[in-house]
Amino acid sequence: MALQCARYPLGSCGTPTHGSLLLLLLSLSWVLHSRAQTADTGQGVMSLWLQRTSQDLSWQRPELTVILRRALRGTEKKACPPGREVHVVDEDLIFYKEWELEACVDGALLAKQMDRVNALPFTYQQLNIFKQKLDQLYPQGYPESLIQSLSYFFLEVTPENIHKWNVTSLETVKSLLKVSKGRKVDAQVAALIARYVVVGGQLDKATLDMLSSFHPAYLCSLSPEQLSSVQQDVVWAIRPQDLDTCRPLQMDVLYPKAHIAFQNMSGSEYFARIKPFLGGASTEDLRALIRQNISMDMATFKKLRKEALLPMTIAEVQKLLGPNLAGLKVEEGNSPVRDWLLRQRQDDLDSLGLGLHVGIPNGYLVLDLNVREAFSGALHLPGPGPALLAMIPALLLALIQN
C-alpha cells in the first residue's frame, strides 16, 4: 500500500486529513533536523521552516502555508501601535484589545495610578493582564506602598503573591479585609493575616471581629490569646485542613472551645466533629472517648499530645484504637507512638502480638525521675552520706510501690 501511494502526488492518498497528517509528519522531521544544524536567529526555526515550506510545498497545500503564517504571527510579540502609547490610566483603556494592553501599558504606571485602575470597569481579562505587569515589575513581592493602595485589585492577587509581601500596617490589613468581605477570597485573607503576624503585627478586637466573617483558614496564624476570643460559630465552620499548621499551644485553646460547641452530640457524630481538635485533648478526654466505644484511626492518634498519651495503659490504647491497633507497628519509630511504647513493659507489648520490641525488658526496675525529684526536694538531702545511705531502702520501696 505504501508503494502505491508514493506514486501519486502528496496529499492525494486517502482522505485530505490523512494527506495533511503525512505532510505534517514530514515537515516535523525537517524541523528537528534543522534545529540540530541551524543556529538560533531572530526568525528562529519556525520562520526557517515556513520559508522552506512556502517555497517547496506550497503548490501542494497552499492553505497550509496560510495557516502556518497566521500561527507564526501569533507567536510574535507585537509592538505598541503609533499613537496608542499609554501615559495615563483612563476610560480609553477599556476599549484597548488585550494585545494592545500587553504592548502599550507599563507596570510602573499601573502601580502609580492604582486608584484609577480600581475606579474603571475593566474586565477580568484586562485586570489579569495588569496583574501580570505588576508581577513582572515586582517579582520579589509588591512594595508596601502599592499594597496600601490595592483596594479592590486585591481580589485579583493570589496567595502566592501575598506570601512575598511585607505587611506592617494594621490599617492596610483592615482595608483589604473590608474589600474582601463576601468575595470568596478566604485563601488570600489567610495569607494576608499570616504575613502580617509573621513580622510581629498585632490584631486588635475590631480586626478579629472582621475575620469572623471569613472562613477560618487563618486560625493557625493567631496567637493563643487571640484564639481565646474566637466565637463558637467560627468553631463550627472549621475544616480539618484549617488546623494543619496549628501548634500545640493553639490546639490547647481550640480543643476546649470545640468540646463545648459539640457537647450535645455523642458517639460517632461527636467524634467526627471533635477529631480535628484532638491535638489539644487531655488524658481524661481520651479516656472519655474510650467509654463511648470510639475507634480512633492512626492518623488522628499520631496527632495526640505526647503528655496526654504517655499515662495511658496498653489496655486503654488497645480499646481506643480498636481495629486500627496494628498501626502501632507502622509508627513505632515515630513520636508520640515511640514515646509511649518506650514506657511499656516488653511482656505487655508481646501480648498484643504485633512484633513490637522497643519496650522495657522484663526484670528491669523502672525509676520515675519525678518521684525521685519530689523526695530530694522535700528532704533537701545535702549529698552522699550515712543518712542518705540509710534511706535508700525506703526510697526503693516507695518507688516500687509507686
Side-chain angles (χ1 to χ4, degrees):
M1 290 296 293
L3 293 176
Q4 288 180 342
C5 289
R7 293 163 52 191
Y8 298 96
L10 185 63
S12 62
C13 182
T15 64
T17 301
H18 292 161
S20 300
L21 180 60
L22 181 59
L23 177 61
L24 179 60
L25 291 174
L26 291 173
S27 301
L28 180 59
S29 176
W30 186 89
V31 170
L32 294 175
H33 179 70
S34 299
R35 181 175 295 178
Q37 297 181 350
T38 307
D40 187 18
T41 64
Q43 291 179 318
V45 174
M46 187 69 178
S47 298
L48 295 174
W49 177 52
L50 179 58
Q51 291 174 3
R52 178 157 180 169
T53 302
S54 61
Q55 294 171 3
D56 300 341
L57 302 175
S58 60
W59 63 273
Q60 297 173 358
R61 286 291 182 188
E63 69 277 10
L64 179 62
T65 303
V66 174
I67 293 173
L68 291 174
R69 282 176 175 163
R70 289 175 180 173
L72 180 61
R73 286 200 301 270
T75 61
E76 295 174 348
K77 186 175 181 179
K78 299 179 180 180
C80 184
R84 301 289 281 176
E85 297 85 357
V86 178
H87 303 291
V88 62
V89 177
D90 57 17
E91 293 83 355
D92 291 341
L93 283 184
I94 298 174
F95 304 102
Y96 272 54
K97 297 177 181 179
E98 292 180 16
W99 72 267
E100 289 180 308
L101 292 177
E102 293 176 352
C104 303
V105 176
D106 180 63
L109 176 66
L110 295 172
K112 185 177 180 180
Q113 300 188 17
M114 183 54 63
D115 58 331
R116 297 292 301 157
V117 173
N118 285 305
L120 295 171
F122 291 110
T123 65
Y124 290 122
Q125 292 79 5
Q126 291 172 325
L127 291 174
N128 184 58
I129 293 174
F130 294 162
K131 176 186 175 299
Q132 293 176 20
K133 292 284 184 179
L134 293 174
D135 292 348
Q136 294 168 3
L137 181 63
Y138 302 113
Q140 303 302 318
Y142 299 175
E144 191 158 17
S145 58
L146 173 58
I147 298 171
Q148 291 171 348
S149 62
L150 281 181
S151 187
Y152 286 98
F153 196 81
F154 177 72
L155 306 177
E156 306 302 321
V157 301
T158 65
E160 290 72 24
N161 290 125
I162 299 171
H163 282 302
K164 299 178 182 179
W165 294 358
N166 186 37
V167 186
T168 61
S169 169
L170 182 59
E171 292 306 313
T172 298
V173 173
K174 289 181 178 180
S175 66
L176 296 179
L177 290 180
K178 185 176 180 180
V179 301
S180 302
K181 189 173 181 179
R183 302 283 184 163
K184 296 182 178 181
V185 287
D186 300 314
Q188 288 89 327
V189 168
L192 175 65
I193 297 301
R195 293 305 303 163
Y196 177 69
V197 172
V198 78
V199 297
Q202 298 295 320
L203 301 173
D204 58 14
K205 185 178 183 303
T207 308
L208 292 173
D209 290 342
M210 293 177 67
L211 282 173
S212 64
S213 63
F214 296 92
H215 192 91
Y218 55 83
L219 282 179
C220 293
S221 297
L222 305 183
S223 67
E225 293 75 20
Q226 292 166 341
L227 288 173
S228 62
S229 64
V230 171
Q231 301 176 359
Q232 296 296 333
D233 56 344
V234 174
V235 174
W236 281 93
I238 294 175
R239 303 167 301 184
Q241 59 266 34
D242 297 330
L243 305 177
D244 284 345
T245 59
C246 281
R247 300 180 298 277
L249 289 177
Q250 295 169 309
M251 296 306 300
D252 289 345
V253 177
L254 289 172
Y255 174 80
K257 288 181 173 291
H259 180 67
I260 294 174
F262 311 139
Q263 62 184 344
N264 293 329
M265 300 178 177
S266 61
S268 59
E269 184 182 13
Y270 171 77
F271 181 67
R273 279 289 187 177
I274 201 66
K275 185 165 67 170
F277 301 87
L278 287 176
S282 67
T283 303
E284 290 307 314
D285 295 321
L286 298 178
R287 287 170 174 160
L289 291 177
I290 295 174
R291 291 192 291 270
Q292 297 184 44
N293 295 320
I294 295 296
S295 293
M296 183 178 294
D297 57 275
M298 184 52 63
T300 304
F301 189 82
K302 287 163 43 178
K303 295 180 181 180
L304 298 178
R305 296 170 55 218
K306 182 175 68 173
E307 295 77 9
L309 181 58
L310 291 183
M312 299 190 69
T313 66
I314 285 184
E316 289 172 334
V317 169
Q318 190 171 14
K319 291 180 180 178
L320 184 61
L321 288 175
N324 304 309
L325 184 66
L328 290 177
K329 179 62 178 177
V330 178
E331 296 294 330
E332 67 176 329
N334 303 319
S335 184
V337 175
R338 178 194 64 234
D339 305 283
W340 179 79
L341 290 173
L342 289 173
R343 291 174 63 96
Q344 311 308 311
R345 293 187 177 276
Q346 185 58 49
D347 54 354
D348 295 331
L349 291 179
D350 291 340
S351 67
L352 297 177
L354 300 176
L356 299 167
H357 302 292
V358 295
I360 300 168
N362 302 332
Y364 276 66
L365 178 65
V366 182
L367 295 179
D368 191 329
L369 298 180
N370 293 327
V371 174
R372 183 181 65 183
E373 292 171 359
F375 271 100
S376 62
L379 296 176
H380 300 286
L381 298 177
L388 177 59
L389 293 175
M391 294 189 63
I392 287 178
L395 290 172
L396 290 175
L397 180 61
L399 292 172
I400 294 173
Q401 292 177 345
N402 184 69

